[in-house]
Amino acid sequence: MSVEFRLDGRIVQVDDDSLTLLDAMREHLGVRAPKDGCSPQGQCGCCTVWVDGAARVSCVTPVRRVAGREVVTTDGLPEPVAARWAGAFTDAGASQCGFCTPGIVLRLASLDARGVSGGRRLDEPAIRTALAAHLCRCTGWQTIVEAAGAVLGVPVGRSAGEAREAEGAGRAGEGDGRAERHADAMDVAAEGSPAPPRDSLLESWRAQLEGPAFQVSDRQTVLGHAGFADDTAPPGARVAVPGPDGSLVVGADLADARRRSGKVQGRNSPVPLRHPVALAPGDWALTLQTTWVEPAYLEPDASWCVPGGRPAPPLANGGAFGGKRTSPVPGLARRLADELGGPVRVVWSREDVVRLGPKRPPVALGLAADGTGVMRVACTPGSVALDPLVARVAQVAPGLRVELVEVAGPPVSPDLRGAGWAEATVGLAVLGALAAGDAAPGSAVEARAPGGGRARVAVAPGGGVDVEVWAGEVLDEVVLRSYCIGAVHQALGWVRQEGIAVDDAGCVEDLTIRSFGVLSARDTPWVTVTLHHEDRFPVNGSDAVFAAAAAAAWLTEGLAPAWPTRRVAEARS
């Protein structure tokens, strides 16, 4: 049975064969702007399209449901609409890797097309509510909200408060109701001064420092064409996916390979979070235990290769926060292409990423009042060596002894953002604040990263976050600011609610992307960033923000001895 529908203005036809709309578009019709971040979970929003003008998640939409209907991806947006949204996203720094942005653009543009959401006036809460159907791991949401505010004419952040005050004073409603672009979109700019012209080379340089990986954020990136590995595979390539025993199962296309592998959809578990590493004995002034944390990058590991060729890298337009540094998929694609004599794609599902990908190593940190202490770090069978982690901890905390403790669990990696040294830096920063009598909730905390970046962050108990960062020559204010806001988002999530359940045998129990605890747009506070221009070579700044924000958030959480603080407290209650 075939299904006919209109896709981006053209009539298309596919065999039903129990296909989802996402598989029909990506695997059979060559439309790669919608992304597969979690199919068939329907929880990340990366595959969002319009069906008859309404935003819909395509990975859980059977293709037969769109028979005779109109489907629009970012490729089919009217040019003025596409240009307006892509321009706003690049202006605000609302796109980094670009994997999640095509779906987000369509969701937000549907608000613009309808003018109202559920009969209510558009405002910042309405924008954040619309984003509840999506996940973004890079930007920390704020710059996306700012971009939406600019396009929709909605005041956000401080300008939203100012608009409410103006309305109360009878000054609202002037002009056509479209607000000027929010005044605080660039906290680093002088009041009323025009934004300086941007240089694409300096943008990429700053992104590479922060990533750390090559990255471009332009119109093509925002609209879904950043050159991700699984988007650039040659047509007709066979597809390999992991099977239940770890071997690779090959199929004619992705849906066929997953059927052959017996793929089972992931689930959330009722299993509580565990802290697998015990504290070292000692008379400690400060202690901290962490759990398993999933890096949660949105683009699953993928690669492809032709016989004798060079495999496509899984890092197409972003660094995945270190999670793909040692990904095995390129090597597997090269081996299978040579063995089978033709092009092969290797694609991990979201469940594969969670089972097979590296996690942030759980730690147990005990610090004495003089800054000496012991950090125990979990290592698991089959993980890469943690020597780099030990070396970085020694660099930032020479009085700290690192002990590796073997436990059952998923692979861990020293490459994930700040692994080891961030925990040590957080502990020492808080210890210093306690000694100085400046450890009240909301106090500013300063941290330095091994690469030379420095940041000072205050997390107000009521929500707002103030950031100052010193990272050498700024190069591009928009990019650095975006990365700093994203670092705050990750730090708050890490301290308060991120973690995955692992059973006694070391198997991951939480396999859905929503079970990781990543902060939603509605739960993320407003962040104000001040960038200090320095006359020195540019260095990474957002990693220092990550550590300082984690320390400041820990103060607001009352220095609870186990992270994530709110999920641990909830479980205990």
Side-chain angles (χ1 to χ4, degrees):
M1 181 178 176
S2 64
V3 176
E4 184 176 279
F5 59 99
R6 183 179 294 273
L7 176 62
D8 292 335
R10 60 191 173 100
I11 300 295
V12 297
Q13 192 174 72
V14 294
D15 291 334
D16 182 354
D17 197 25
S18 301
L19 283 176
T20 66
L21 175 57
L22 178 63
D23 281 340
M25 291 186 295
R26 288 187 60 86
E27 302 297 314
H28 296 270
L29 298 171
V31 176
R32 300 294 176 85
K35 307 302 179 202
D36 184 352
C38 72
S39 72
Q41 295 178 12
Q43 295 187 359
C44 74
C46 295
C47 67
T48 298
V49 298
W50 285 354
V51 177
D52 291 344
R56 177 170 292 186
V57 179
S58 63
C59 78
V60 291
T61 300
V63 71
R64 62 180 176 274
R65 295 275 182 88
V66 302
R69 304 175 75 177
E70 178 151 15
V71 177
V72 175
T73 75
T74 49
D75 292 343
L77 283 174
E79 171 55 28
V81 175
R84 186 162 65 248
W85 281 99
F89 267 60
T90 54
D91 288 349
S95 176
Q96 289 183 24
C97 78
F99 194 81
C100 66
T101 51
I104 290 174
V105 163
L106 286 166
R107 178 80 57 181
L108 295 174
S110 71
L111 293 180
D112 194 19
R114 293 198 301 268
V116 294
S117 176
R120 61 180 289 187
R121 191 176 97 181
L122 282 179
D123 55 12
E124 183 178 335
I127 293 170
R128 290 183 182 267
T129 297
L131 292 172
H134 296 263
L135 283 181
C136 175
R137 193 55 167 163
C138 298
T139 66
W141 296 117
Q142 180 171 313
T143 50
I144 294 173
V145 172
E146 291 171 342
V151 174
L152 300 174
V154 174
V156 297
R158 288 199 304 269
S159 58
E162 292 164 0
R164 286 192 295 270
E165 291 176 6
E167 187 172 1
R171 295 192 297 272
E174 296 178 2
D176 64 357
R178 290 267 173 177
E180 293 297 321
R181 291 192 178 215
H182 42 280
D184 61 340
M186 181 58 63
D187 303 301
V188 297
E191 188 73 27
S193 63
R198 300 177 67 192
D199 184 310
S200 60
L201 178 61
L202 298 182
E203 292 176 44
S204 295
W205 185 1
R206 175 49 72 183
Q208 191 167 27
L209 285 169
E210 303 301 325
F214 177 78
Q215 189 173 86
V216 172
S217 180
D218 55 13
R219 174 193 167 107
Q220 291 295 94
T221 300
V222 173
L223 298 180
H225 299 287
F228 296 104
D230 202 42
D231 294 347
T232 58
R238 282 179 280 189
V239 182
V241 301
D245 62 354
S247 63
L248 290 174
V249 177
V250 180
D253 57 32
L254 183 59
D256 180 46
R258 287 180 173 171
R259 278 195 295 265
R260 291 172 183 266
S261 72
K263 179 183 183 296
V264 178
Q265 184 171 345
R267 62 184 180 91
N268 295 1
S269 80
V271 178
L273 299 181
R274 299 169 60 242
H275 296 81
V277 184
L279 289 163
D283 184 16
W284 306 123
L286 188 67
T287 63
L288 172 64
Q289 288 177 280
T290 64
T291 188
W292 306 98
V293 178
E294 169 64 34
Y297 45 84
L298 267 291
E299 179 204 8
D301 298 46
S303 181
W304 62 269
C305 194
V306 298
R310 176 179 294 179
L315 294 175
N317 195 47
F321 316 106
K324 296 181 186 176
R325 192 162 304 227
T326 55
S327 175
V329 295
L332 295 172
R334 171 65 187 267
R335 175 174 64 80
L336 278 177
D338 290 343
E339 288 177 2
L340 299 177
V344 175
R345 295 160 56 197
V346 176
V347 181
W348 281 5
S349 68
R350 177 55 53 185
E351 293 87 348
D352 296 327
V353 173
V354 184
R355 283 193 299 261
L356 305 174
K359 309 292 170 270
R360 187 180 195 89
V363 307
L365 173 65
L367 281 171
D370 63 357
T372 61
V374 177
M375 177 188 284
R376 288 180 164 177
V377 181
C379 59
T380 56
S383 295
V384 297
L386 296 181
D387 295 352
L389 180 152
V390 176
R392 285 192 287 267
V393 171
Q395 184 178 349
V396 301
L400 203 58
R401 186 173 79 252
V402 177
E403 296 179 355
L404 301 183
V405 180
E406 187 163 311
V407 300
V412 297
S413 171
D415 297 326
L416 298 178
R417 184 176 217 167
W421 74 258
E423 289 88 335
T425 298
V426 166
L428 291 176
V430 169
L431 196 67
L434 289 169
D438 193 21
S443 296
V445 182
E446 188 166 308
R448 292 179 181 269
R454 179 166 63 97
R456 183 183 296 126
V457 178
V459 177
V465 181
D466 288 314
V467 175
E468 292 183 82
V469 63
W470 295 260
E473 186 181 351
V474 170
L475 300 176
D476 185 271
E477 295 172 338
V478 173
V479 172
L480 181 53
R481 177 179 183 268
S482 177
Y483 268 95
C484 290
I485 293 171
V488 170
H489 175 260
Q490 288 189 21
L492 295 180
W494 179 34
V495 173
R496 293 174 175 173
Q497 65 183 52
E498 288 193 39
I500 55 173
V502 174
D503 66 17
D504 292 339
C507 298
V508 178
E509 294 283 345
D510 289 330
L511 298 178
T512 66
I513 201 165
R514 290 284 175 171
S515 63
F516 305 159
V518 177
L519 284 176
S520 71
R522 288 180 294 194
D523 295 330
T524 304
W526 196 264
V527 182
T528 300
V529 180
T530 300
L531 305 179
H532 292 276
H533 295 257
E534 296 183 289
D535 186 18
R536 62 177 177 127
F537 200 78
V539 296
N540 178 293
S542 57
D543 284 353
V545 173
F546 176 68
W554 195 20
L555 288 180
T556 68
E557 298 294 302
L559 298 181
W563 293 359
T565 56
R566 298 186 181 181
R567 287 177 66 182
V568 170
E570 183 179 292
R572 287 175 177 167
S573 64

